[in-house]
Amino acid sequence: RRYLVMALTLCLFWNTFGLSAAMDSKPNILLFLADDLGIGDIGCYGNSTIRTPNIDRLAREGVKLTQHIAAAPLCTPSRAAFLTGRYPIRSGMASSNGYRALQWNAGSGGLPANETTFARLLQQQGYTTALIGKWHQGVNCESFNDHCHHPLNHGFDYFYGMPFTLLNNCQENKPPELDVALQAKLWLYSQIITLAVLTLTAGKLTGLISIHWKIIACFTLVGSLFFVSWYSSYGFVQYWNCILMRNHDITEQPMRLETTASLMLKESVSFIKRNRHGPFLLFVSFLHVHTPLFTTGKFLGKSRHGLYGDNVEEMDWMVGKILDSLDKEGLKNHTLTYFASDHGGQLEAQDGSAQLGGWNGIYKGGKGMGGWEGGIRVPGVFRWPGVLPAGTVIDEPTSLMDIYPTVVHLAGGILPQDRVIDGRNLVPLLQGRAQKSEHEFLFHYCGSYLHAVRWHQKDSGTIWKAHYVTPVFHPPGAGACYGKGICPCFGEGVTHHNPPLLFDLSRDPSEAKPLSADTEPLFDAVLRKIARAIEEHRRTLTPVPEQLSLYNIMWKPWLQPCCGTFPFCWCDKEGDSTQIF
C-alpha cells in the first residue's frame, strides 16, 4: 500500500509540476498548412480511400479539432488572417472587387508592413523562424527590390519557396488559370483609354479641346500599363509568377515543378537539423494540393482518386519525412506540431470528368464560398507529446486565427495591445483545462462582404449560423459555381436573405434544413442576438487601404522580380543539387 501511495504521489507530482515545467520551456513550433485541401480528404476525418497515415498519426498522438474554421475561403485573405490572428478586413486583405487573391508577383498589394505576424513576435522571443513553401502575401511595393511584403520583412529569418502560388500556368500543356475575366477587363480598359488618348490628341491638335500635353501623357501611361498587363497575361505568367526564391534571391525562374517537392522537403529537414538546439518556428506552407497538382513519378497513379489523390498522398509522405527528422533529432516531445488547410477544397476544379479539387465531406459548398461550411471548415490537428492528451477530439468552434495567440503564449510573448486580435489562445482547450471555446461569435466574410455569422450559445452548446448572403449555384442546385470557376461574393451571382437563413449546426452540420419561426421557437431571438453582435463587430472595424484593389493587383513591370535583365528573366541556380528522398 505504501508503494501504491508513493506511485500515486509521483503521478500527481508529474501532472502538477512536470506538465508545468514542460509548459514553462519554449517548445519548437512546427506548422503544416496545406493548400486547398478538403476536410474530407484525409483518413482521420473519415476518408477511407486516400492514404494519409502520417497526418492520421498526428491525430492519434494529439488533438483533433472537428470545427476548425478558416477566416476566409480563399488563400490570400485566409493566410493573412492566419499570420496576424485578425480578420482580413482589418488589414486590408479583404477585397471589395472580384479579385480576392493576389494575381501577380509584380502587384503592389500585400500584407502591410504595419501588421505584426506571429513570426515577428516569436523572433522577438529568441526563436529562429523560417517559412518554406507558399507565401502569396505580396513581394514589393514601389520597386522590384524593396521587398516590403516579403516574408523576411514579416518576422521570418529564412524563406525558401514560392512568393506566389501554384497555377496551371506553371506547368506546360495545362489550360491557363489566370482569371479570364481579368484579361477581358484589361483589354477593355486598354481600348477605352487608347480611344480617349486619340480623341484628346486630335482635339488638342485641332484646337477644339484645351488640355495640357502632360494630362494626355498620363492617360497614355495608364493605358500602356493596362495593355502590357493584358499582353503579359497570355505568354509570360510562367516566367513572372512561377518562381522560387531563397530569402531575397531568385533561384529558379521559371521553377521546375519536377524537383520542387524534393527541394521543399530538403529545405525543411535541413532547417530542423541546423536549429535542433532551438527554439525554432518552422512554417511549412505546402504547394500541395493546389492545381495543377504536379506529382512526382513515385506517387503517380498510386491512389484511388486520380491525380488529386496522388497529390494528397505525396503531401502526406512529405509530412512523414519531416516528422521523421524531428524524431531523428530527438525533438518530438519538445515540439508543438500543427496541421491544417487554408480553406476548403475547390469543387469547380475539374478536367472533364476528373475531379481536380478536394472533397469537403458532409459540408455544403467549397473554396471561394464565404458562408457555407465546405469553404471554411478545415482539418485542424495538434500534437505535443506529454503536454496535449493523445487521441482527443474537440468539437468546439475554433479558428485558424487562434494559432497566433496560441504560439505567442507558448513562446512567452505578449500580444500587441494597439489592435484587435480576433484569435484566442487554444492551450486551455487543447489540454482539457477548459471545456468551452472562447469564441462566442465567428464572422464569415466573402471578400469584404459579410455573408454569415456563427453563434456559439455556450449555455446550451448550440451552434447557430445565420446566412445573410449565399452564392447562386450554377447550374441551379449543383452545389457549386461550375459555370464561373469560383463563386462570387456580390452582384447578380449572390442571393440576399431577409430574414437570414438560420441553421442549427449542432443538429444539421450539412446545412440542409433552414429553420423558420414556425419550426424554431428561438428563431427571432437568435437573429436579434446575432444582429447585435454584427453591430458590435462593425464598430471595431477601422478603414484601411485595400491591398487587393484593382490598382494593387495589376501587373507593374517595375515591380517584377527578375533573375537577369528585365524582361529577359531566367535562371536555374538549383541545378542538380536536389536530393531525392
Side-chain angles (χ1 to χ4, degrees):
R1 179 179 293 179
R2 182 173 61 185
Y3 292 117
L4 178 61
V5 171
M6 290 176 64
L8 290 173
T9 303
L10 285 172
C11 288
L12 181 62
F13 177 86
W14 165 247
N15 286 334
T16 305
F17 297 103
L19 186 60
S20 176
M23 289 292 292
D24 285 343
S25 61
K26 294 181 178 180
N28 302 310
I29 308 291
L30 173 58
L31 308 176
F32 293 113
L33 192 65
D35 196 3
D36 287 19
L37 180 73
I39 193 172
D41 289 329
I42 51 182
C44 56
Y45 283 88
N47 193 305
S48 59
T49 57
I50 296 180
R51 294 164 295 187
T52 55
N54 297 294
I55 300 170
D56 298 345
R57 171 160 59 103
L58 283 177
R60 284 196 311 274
E61 297 177 352
V63 179
K64 182 178 76 172
L65 306 175
T66 64
Q67 198 177 164
H68 201 39
I69 307 299
L74 277 181
C75 42
T76 294
S78 174
R79 289 162 183 267
F82 178 72
L83 288 161
T84 64
R86 290 153 51 82
Y87 286 109
I89 197 167
R90 299 193 191 278
S91 59
M93 298 295 277
S95 171
S96 62
N97 59 62
Y99 307 106
R100 292 181 272 158
L102 295 171
Q103 303 288 312
W104 300 95
N105 276 326
S108 53
L111 190 63
N114 62 359
E115 287 294 325
T116 304
T117 67
F118 57 69
R120 174 73 69 204
L121 295 180
L122 266 63
Q123 196 179 52
Q124 293 170 0
Q125 294 301 311
Y127 276 70
T128 302
T129 59
L131 166 62
I132 294 172
K134 170 177 173 172
W135 176 236
H136 210 187
Q137 298 294 301
V139 183
N140 299 310
C141 290
E142 297 179 355
S143 67
F144 72 93
N145 61 357
D146 65 32
H147 299 124
C148 67
H149 301 307
H150 191 279
L152 267 60
N153 202 41
H154 278 294
F156 291 99
D157 296 306
Y158 184 73
F159 169 61
Y160 183 85
M162 251 190 121
F164 195 59
T165 181
L166 275 183
L167 295 166
N168 276 351
N169 307 73
C170 297
Q171 185 176 348
E172 301 289 346
N173 304 318
K174 289 284 186 177
E177 195 175 343
L178 193 69
D179 197 326
V180 175
L182 175 60
Q183 291 174 325
K185 282 187 177 181
L186 290 171
W187 177 234
L188 176 63
Y189 295 156
S190 299
Q191 291 176 304
I192 292 173
I193 295 173
T194 299
L195 180 62
V197 168
L198 292 175
T199 302
L200 292 173
T201 301
K204 173 73 172 178
L205 293 174
T206 58
L208 295 176
I209 300 176
S210 177
I211 189 172
H212 292 291
W213 285 111
K214 287 183 179 180
I215 296 177
I216 297 177
C218 287
F219 272 100
T220 303
L221 177 61
V222 172
S224 299
L225 283 178
F226 279 106
F227 176 79
V228 172
S229 295
W230 168 79
Y231 182 77
S232 298
S233 69
Y234 279 93
F236 297 93
V237 175
Q238 186 177 14
Y239 285 86
W240 295 161
N241 282 346
C242 306
I243 67 176
L244 286 182
M245 298 182 77
R246 176 177 285 106
N247 295 326
H248 292 146
D249 299 324
I250 299 172
T251 61
E252 286 186 357
Q253 189 171 19
M255 59 198 289
R256 295 184 298 149
L257 294 183
E258 61 271 16
T259 61
T260 300
S262 291
L263 286 170
M264 300 296 177
L265 181 53
K266 177 183 175 183
E267 289 285 340
S268 299
V269 171
S270 176
F271 177 83
I272 291 172
K273 185 175 182 179
R274 290 196 311 271
N275 296 280
R276 59 187 176 276
H277 300 299
F280 66 74
L281 162 70
L282 174 57
F283 177 17
V284 181
S285 179
F286 287 109
L287 302 181
H288 299 65
V289 287
H290 198 291
T291 51
L293 301 174
F294 190 91
T295 308
T296 55
K298 180 179 179 180
F299 291 92
L300 279 177
K302 297 300 176 64
S303 80
R304 294 165 58 184
H305 285 276
L307 187 58
Y308 182 83
D310 298 345
N311 205 242
V312 173
E313 292 188 1
E314 180 176 51
M315 178 187 66
D316 178 80
W317 171 78
M318 293 174 69
V319 168
K321 287 296 182 181
I322 296 171
L323 294 179
D324 288 346
S325 71
L326 280 183
D327 294 345
K328 182 179 178 181
E329 302 298 338
L331 300 174
K332 175 179 177 179
N333 293 343
H334 195 58
T335 301
L336 174 75
T337 303
Y338 168 77
F339 179 89
S341 177
D342 57 355
H343 49 70
Q346 184 177 5
L347 302 179
E348 297 90 350
Q350 296 179 325
D351 183 7
S353 60
Q355 181 66 29
L356 301 181
W359 181 50
N360 300 313
I362 65 171
Y363 304 109
K364 180 182 290 187
K367 176 180 178 179
M369 304 182 205
W372 294 122
E373 288 290 281
I376 54 177
R377 191 182 288 222
V378 297
V381 178
F382 285 89
R383 184 190 74 173
W384 187 1
V387 176
L388 303 184
T392 302
V393 177
I394 294 176
D395 298 323
E396 291 289 294
T398 58
S399 169
L400 265 70
M401 296 184 292
D402 296 339
I403 302 310
Y404 186 98
T406 300
V407 299
V408 171
H409 167 77
L410 293 174
I414 298 174
L415 295 177
Q417 302 299 304
D418 62 344
R419 64 198 64 192
V420 176
I421 301 297
D422 298 297
R424 299 291 182 265
N425 178 16
L426 290 178
V427 171
L429 186 66
L430 296 174
Q431 289 187 305
R433 293 187 286 114
Q435 301 304 312
K436 297 292 184 181
S437 165
E438 289 189 32
H439 289 290
E440 183 176 11
F441 295 95
L442 285 171
F443 301 92
H444 307 309
Y445 282 90
C446 187
S448 60
Y449 302 91
L450 185 65
H451 274 205
V453 179
R454 179 183 313 248
W455 176 29
H456 179 208
Q457 190 177 359
K458 296 183 182 181
D459 56 352
S460 67
T462 305
I463 306 291
W464 304 100
K465 189 170 170 199
H467 288 261
Y468 294 86
V469 184
T470 57
V472 176
F473 292 144
H474 183 81
C481 300
Y482 293 102
K484 298 183 178 180
I486 199 161
C487 289
C489 296
F490 62 94
E492 296 180 355
V494 301
T495 300
H496 293 264
H497 301 281
N498 187 17
L501 299 178
L502 182 66
F503 297 92
D504 177 358
L505 296 184
S506 317
R507 294 179 295 174
D508 181 21
S510 299
E511 298 173 290
K513 301 174 182 177
L515 304 171
S516 67
D518 296 329
T519 61
E520 175 52 62
L522 297 176
F523 184 83
D524 292 325
V526 169
L527 291 182
R528 284 196 300 270
K529 178 77 172 180
I530 293 176
R532 287 195 297 270
I534 293 173
E535 292 177 6
E536 292 176 10
H537 167 68
R538 285 179 169 156
R539 282 197 292 268
T540 71
L541 302 178
T542 55
V544 291
E546 188 174 316
Q547 297 297 319
L548 300 176
S549 66
L550 288 175
Y551 174 79
N552 280 334
I553 67 168
M554 187 192 309
W555 183 79
K556 302 174 181 67
W558 61 87
L559 298 183
Q560 178 62 51
C562 183
C563 187
T565 303
F566 183 82
F568 305 104
C569 303
W570 181 92
C571 66
D572 182 2
K573 298 178 182 178
E574 297 295 348
D576 296 323
S577 64
T578 308
Q579 177 183 347
I580 305 298
F581 282 78

